[in-house]
Every structure is written in C-alpha cells, then in structure tokens.
Amino acid sequence: MAAHNFLKNSWYVAGWSVEVTKSLFSRTILGESILFFRKEDGQVAALANRCPHRFAPLDMGTREGDSVRCGYHGLTFDTEGRCIAAPTARGRVPDATIRTFPCEERHGLVWVWMGEPHRADVTRIADLSEFEAPDVRHASGGYLHCAVNYQLLIDNLLDLSHAAFVHPIFGNMSMCEAELTIKTTPDTVRVDRWMPGCEVPLYLTGLFQPGSQVDHWLDMLLYQPTNMILYFGVAAPGGSRKDAITGLASHLLTPESETSTHYFYSIAQPRHLATDADLQIAHEAQRTAFTLEDKPIVEACQRMMGTTDLMSLNPIILPDDSGAVRARRMLARMVRREMTNAGRATDDGDATPETSQIGEDSFA
Ligand code: FES
Ligand SMILES: [Fe+2]
C-alpha cells in the first residue's frame, strides 16, 4: 500500500450524530483511535483515545462531567486534552496534554478534522444539505465496516458498471453501455452515467412493464477525498426528468486504516415519490446490496492485492475506470501538496476544472 495516501487536512465522518452520546465511544480514523463523547452542553469532544501513562484506551475509563478519567490509574483529562488530576501522583499533576481534534456536527453527522487544527474550515465539509430539504424524506444511519482500502471503495462507486454483474436487482447489461461524462473541479469529481432507452432494472419492474425500456441515469459526485452523493433517476424513454422517479444516496467513506474503511450511507427521495415505509425498504435494499454484494467482492480484491497499491500492480484500465483514475490522480496531487505545505500558513489551489466525454480522457 502506498505510504501517506491519507489527506489529513480534511473533514471525515466520525459517525452519525445519534452514535455520539454522553457515553465514551471510540473509532479509529486514519489509523488513530479517537475518543468521542458529548459534553454537558451537548457539544462533541474528540480526544486521542490513549492515556500517556501506560497507554490504556481512555474509552475504558469514565466520563466525569466534561473530563475523562483513565480506567487504569486515574489520570484525568479535560476536553482541551490537559491532564487536570492525578490521584496517584502524590500531589504533582503531570504537565501532560493529549491531542484533541476539531469537530463539527452537520447534516446529522459528526465530522472530525484530522489535520493541522488551524486549517480546520467548516466550509470545506461536504455539502449534504439536499438530504435535509423540506420536500425530501431521508433514511439515514447506515454503517458498514469494510476490510478494504478506501480508494478501492471509491473506485467501486465511481465505476457503477459493476452493477451489471454484482447487483442483479439494481443493474443489468445496459450498465455496460452507459454514456459517461466526467467533470472535475479543484476538489470534486463527477461521473454521470446516462443510459437512454435501456432495459428497466429488475427493482423497478413493479412500476414499469418487465422488459420495457426506460431512460436511466446514475450520477456520482465525489467531494475529495472520500464523500460521495449518487443522484439516480428513471424516466419513460424521452420523458421529462421532472416526471421521473428520482432520488439521491450518500456514500461517505472514512479510512480506518490502510486496509479498512468505515462506510456510512443513506438514501433520500422526494416526498411525493416515497412514503417513510418505502424509504426504509430502499434503505434496507442499500444495506443488503452493500453487505452481501459489494463488500464480499471488494474485500476479496483487497485480499488478492495484499498491501500492494493498486496502481503499482499495473491494472488494466477500462473506459469506466476513467473517473476513478482521475480521482486517484487528483487525490495524489492533494496529498503531495499537503506534505509540501505542511507547517505553512496557507495552502495552494488545485488543478483547473475540466469536463470530458468518455473517449476524450487519457487513461495512461
Ligand atoms: S494508563 Fe492511564 S493512568 Fe495509567
Ligand atoms: Fe455496488
């Protein structure tokens, strides 16, 4: 696996808001075990989950108001990370501080900033406000742990041609013939898949005659480095998109380690198209597809690759890989730039935005 392939100066999903309570809760993010809990005022605190005495995990300790007491010898830390009590230190509280992490609660999620604290800018949190629009229903809370590098999951989501083979309910062979349009901005990659006049997917045969044709689209927007929104829709051939069945799904990836990832997901649809019960069924279908179909194949790929980086294995690059290849290149540039700029007061911008139809892109 390539070293340093995490972008640290970025917001990552630490968990759904409902997961973080006044009880101590830990999650490993970018290889660091982090302790989360809600303070008395309801704000989220995030601290390194490791006591600097004998390195006991602090989540085995006790929350006492807005501080945490280690469960081994009782060192106590406030939410600034300062050691404020040491019952066994004979009156001399060690001058010790543990790392804290900027946190922000937005879109029903707790976000954590993994880089230099002075660069934490909440305007850089992925914009998921469409899931909170008043005319939309949202089924959230999906979580899956995957024993796979996060970039392999991004590859999977930016190349939905796999649905033809992995998801028999959602996909069919029409997925292999999609017209692709790829657009990039300095921190996004969007892969639009347009499938006019394609065979209706099996999961929609209750709404369309089996074997009939539909216009189908699946547009995936990646906010670098790891958060995605899928915009999907199905319409009668040549029909207006405003009469279509549409929705959007979040795919939010947080690297746990080089070979494991936290996968948070949700789905939303316009209120006039889906009841709460319909949406729960769709959310359950997401869970089934990700757990029983995507997870086994991507984890198997990871096992076959071991810890070797994908690109160093010289993989065949197919047209549908185009978006993922661009996303990887862009992220590699961002990581390189971050390493170059480490310690500087300001950051440089990224590449010029670009758009291409498939066939215009270079896969080299
Ligand atoms: S390990 Fe935490 S106080 Fe000893
Ligand atoms: Fe999939």
Side-chain angles (χ1 to χ4, degrees):
M1 196 63 54
H4 309 299
N5 81 340
F6 297 137
L7 188 71
K8 295 198 169 173
N9 284 323
S10 185
W11 293 99
Y12 291 91
V13 173
W16 294 100
S17 287
V18 293
E19 291 184 280
V20 182
T21 67
K22 289 190 173 175
S23 299
L24 302 180
F25 164 79
S26 70
R27 184 158 271 156
T28 297
I29 297 174
L30 274 54
E32 303 202 43
S33 182
I34 303 176
L35 176 74
F36 298 94
F37 64 92
R38 282 191 194 276
K39 298 188 287 188
E40 293 295 330
D41 66 1
Q43 298 287 307
V44 177
L47 309 168
N49 185 34
R50 193 169 81 158
C51 176
H53 176 223
R54 286 293 178 266
F55 310 109
L58 290 171
D59 62 358
M60 293 180 72
T62 312
R63 182 183 67 83
E64 295 182 341
D66 284 353
S67 61
V68 180
R69 187 179 65 195
C70 178
Y72 200 178
H73 311 95
L75 288 184
T76 302
F77 301 89
D78 67 14
T79 55
E80 302 299 315
R82 293 179 298 241
C83 184
I84 56 170
T88 63
R90 312 301 190 273
R92 288 187 303 167
V93 176
D95 182 16
T97 304
I98 56 176
R99 183 178 174 188
T100 61
F101 298 82
C103 273
E104 181 73 13
E105 204 158 4
R106 193 168 287 197
H107 310 310
L109 294 151
V110 174
W111 301 79
V112 61
W113 178 266
M114 296 301 296
E116 298 160 282
H118 71 276
R119 293 190 195 273
D121 173 1
V122 294
T123 65
R124 290 171 58 185
I125 291 176
D127 182 6
L128 305 179
S129 54
E130 290 168 281
F131 290 84
E132 300 169 311
D135 59 344
V136 154
R137 292 184 209 276
H138 185 202
S140 63
Y143 173 79
L144 182 65
H145 181 269
C146 294
V148 64
N149 175 269
Y150 72 101
Q151 288 190 292
L152 293 186
L153 282 172
I154 294 172
D155 295 345
N156 169 277
L157 289 159
L158 289 180
D159 172 13
L160 293 177
S161 68
H162 75 266
F165 308 97
V166 174
H167 304 303
I169 301 296
F170 294 110
N172 54 41
M173 294 308 284
S174 303
M175 309 289 289
C176 306
E177 303 290 336
E179 297 170 19
L180 300 183
T181 302
I182 299 163
K183 298 175 185 167
T184 63
T185 70
D187 55 6
T188 65
V189 177
R190 180 171 172 134
V191 180
D192 288 357
R193 307 180 66 82
W194 171 233
M195 295 159 282
C198 73
E199 183 187 342
V200 64
L202 269 182
Y203 78 102
L204 288 171
T205 50
L207 297 170
F208 295 87
Q209 289 296 322
S212 62
Q213 293 192 330
V214 292
D215 291 344
H216 188 196
W217 61 93
L218 295 167
D219 302 340
M220 188 70 83
L221 172 64
L222 165 69
Y223 288 96
Q224 289 280 20
T226 57
N227 297 304
M228 278 165 275
I229 301 176
L230 173 67
Y231 299 92
F232 58 89
V234 179
S240 162
R241 285 201 174 193
K242 83 175 165 36
D243 299 323
I245 296 165
T246 59
L248 61 163
S250 68
H251 301 268
L252 313 171
L253 307 177
T254 298
E256 178 185 58
S257 69
E258 291 280 3
T259 54
S260 58
T261 303
H262 306 289
Y263 187 168
F264 304 90
Y265 59 88
S266 69
I267 190 165
Q269 283 196 274
R271 286 182 174 274
H272 70 279
L273 291 178
T275 64
D276 285 337
D278 293 334
L279 211 57
Q280 283 306 322
I281 291 169
H283 195 38
E284 179 60 20
Q286 280 186 304
R287 190 192 68 77
T288 301
F290 302 160
T291 306
L292 302 181
E293 295 170 354
D294 288 296
K295 179 177 159 78
I297 191 79
V298 293
E299 288 186 341
C301 293
Q302 181 75 75
R303 286 194 297 275
M304 297 304 284
M305 292 166 55
T307 55
T308 310
D309 176 67
L310 174 80
M311 299 314 275
S312 68
L313 289 169
N314 194 26
I316 293 172
I317 302 295
L318 297 172
D320 285 274
D321 294 313
S322 184
V325 168
R326 284 206 198 176
R328 280 175 173 268
R329 285 191 191 137
M330 183 188 294
L331 181 57
R333 280 199 304 272
M334 294 168 88
V335 171
R336 276 199 303 274
R337 195 175 63 243
E338 177 174 283
M339 294 172 73
T340 303
N341 288 341
R344 291 188 192 167
T346 57
D347 204 352
D348 301 332
D350 196 56
T352 311
E354 39 183 305
T355 300
S356 76
Q357 297 281 326
I358 194 67
E360 296 174 4
D361 196 27
S362 162
F363 308 121

